[in-house]
Amino acid sequence: MLQEFYPDHEADDAYGIAYESLYEAGYRGIIFDIDNTLVPHGAPADQRARELFRRLRQIGFQTVLLSNNKEPRVKPFGDAVGSPYVYKAGKPGREGYRKAMELMGSHTGNTLFVGDQLFTDVWGARRAGIVTYLVKPIHPKEEVQIVLKRRLEWIVLFFYHRSLGRKGK
């Protein structure tokens, strides 16, 4: 039961993932969460985010931002990094992920998702059949409902890491 929340991969942050290797492996589209994945919650796109998206375009990736936030939060970020976006995405529902793949012209076999939350980001992407990267939240200050979810995430990640240890990974 908990396995449906397990990420396929973990990374310290969205900026340290080996995107070139992923492109060589056949991936062509990347869906990103914004808040606490690319920047602290509510922050505008910074130079690091703009540079990441420039780099991804140079590699050959298509990108989409997928957020449960409203358009006034998501559009300026998308404009700043040069990426299309889906706002009010309804994560963990599958529809937002499908719409993102449609925007990129990608499919479940060549799309990745990068986000910081298990119960919205990772679970939704897994339900949609997309390979997931769970990154550590950028900033510890979060809304109270997210803080509560983080405690539950800790339990799931405990069992996830334990299962990896038993498999010898």
Side-chain angles (χ1 to χ4, degrees):
M1 164 95 176
L2 289 180
Q3 290 85 351
E4 63 192 270
F5 299 108
Y6 290 177
D8 295 299
H9 306 278
E10 289 182 283
D12 285 338
D13 60 54
Y15 300 96
I17 295 171
Y19 294 108
E20 291 82 359
S21 297
L22 292 167
Y23 192 85
E24 289 173 14
Y27 292 99
R28 295 298 181 261
I30 307 174
I31 304 169
F32 284 95
D33 175 53
I34 299 172
D35 287 322
N36 253 347
T37 296
L38 295 168
V39 294
H41 186 81
D46 57 15
Q47 184 61 36
R48 190 164 82 148
R50 288 190 295 274
E51 177 58 30
L52 173 63
F53 281 78
R54 185 192 64 73
R55 177 178 149 220
L56 293 171
R57 282 190 293 277
Q58 284 182 333
I59 294 169
F61 278 109
Q62 298 293 314
T63 61
V64 171
L65 301 168
L66 187 69
S67 177
N68 284 346
N69 279 305
K70 296 178 182 173
E71 192 170 25
R73 164 66 180 132
V74 183
K75 182 183 184 334
F77 198 98
D79 290 348
V81 299
S83 181
Y85 58 88
V86 177
Y87 66 96
K88 291 173 69 173
K91 296 184 286 184
R94 295 178 185 97
E95 192 55 39
Y97 297 90
R98 290 179 182 146
K99 185 173 182 180
M101 287 186 284
E102 185 179 310
L103 287 170
M104 293 186 292
S106 66
H107 53 80
T108 57
N110 68 357
T111 302
L112 303 165
F113 180 84
V114 179
D116 70 300
Q117 292 189 56
L118 285 180
F119 299 130
T120 51
D121 297 334
V122 169
W123 186 35
R126 286 183 54 94
R127 291 177 70 218
I130 300 169
V131 170
T132 60
Y133 274 81
L134 177 68
V135 297
K136 294 175 182 169
I138 287 179
H139 195 276
K141 186 178 181 200
E142 297 180 296
E143 296 172 355
V144 69
Q145 71 271 18
I146 295 173
V147 171
L148 296 173
K149 281 196 255 180
R150 294 281 184 214
R151 292 178 187 201
L152 295 173
E153 286 180 354
W154 184 88
I155 295 166
V156 173
L157 288 172
F158 171 82
F159 287 104
Y160 168 67
H161 293 135
R162 199 166 123 186
S163 74
L164 292 177
R166 274 187 282 176
K167 293 178 184 175
K169 291 185 179 181

